[in-house]
Amino acid sequence: MNQKSWHPLSQRNQQRLCEAEKKHQQDVRRREERRIELEKESEKLKQALVLNPNSKEDRDVARGKVNLSFMYTKPPGLEEAETRS
């Protein structure tokens, strides 16, 4: 009976079970780390909002509105470098 592919005490099935349990533990640990990281980040944003309630950028970030305008602005010093050339 122990040599049947479906038997729970076969060595191959024991290995599969061990691998599945390890993978599950890693997934649980990874989810917990992500949850903690998100909590820390949201707490940091809330503190920034409390410390500086007038900052429009902090309010937008705290509300989840990420402003991508920085991608379209010229980097500092570019105009000066262009005038030199």
Side-chain angles (χ1 to χ4, degrees), residues 2 4 15 21 32 47 52 72 74-75 80 82:
N2 197 13
K4 297 289 185 182
Q15 289 175 347
E21 288 174 349
E32 183 66 20
Q47 288 177 357
N52 194 3
Y72 303 106
K74 292 182 180 180
E80 185 178 309
E82 287 177 345

Side-chain angles (χ1 to χ4, degrees), residues 18-70:
C18 183
E19 290 171 3
E21 288 174 349
K22 285 180 183 178
K23 184 177 179 183
H24 177 71
Q25 289 174 352
Q26 289 174 348
D27 289 343
V28 169
R29 190 176 331 119
R30 195 174 310 127
R31 286 181 191 152
E32 183 66 20
E33 289 173 358
R34 287 179 186 165
R35 185 187 62 78
I36 290 171
E37 184 178 339
L38 286 173
E39 285 178 1
K40 286 180 182 178
E41 186 175 333
S42 66
E43 184 63 31
K44 187 186 293 186
L45 290 174
K46 287 178 185 177
Q47 288 177 357
L49 184 62
V50 168
L51 292 175
N52 194 3
N54 297 330
S55 174
K56 184 176 186 293
E57 292 177 9
D58 289 340
R59 273 187 276 134
D60 289 342
V61 171
R63 291 180 184 152
K65 299 177 184 176
V66 178
N67 193 1
L68 297 179
S69 64
F70 71 91

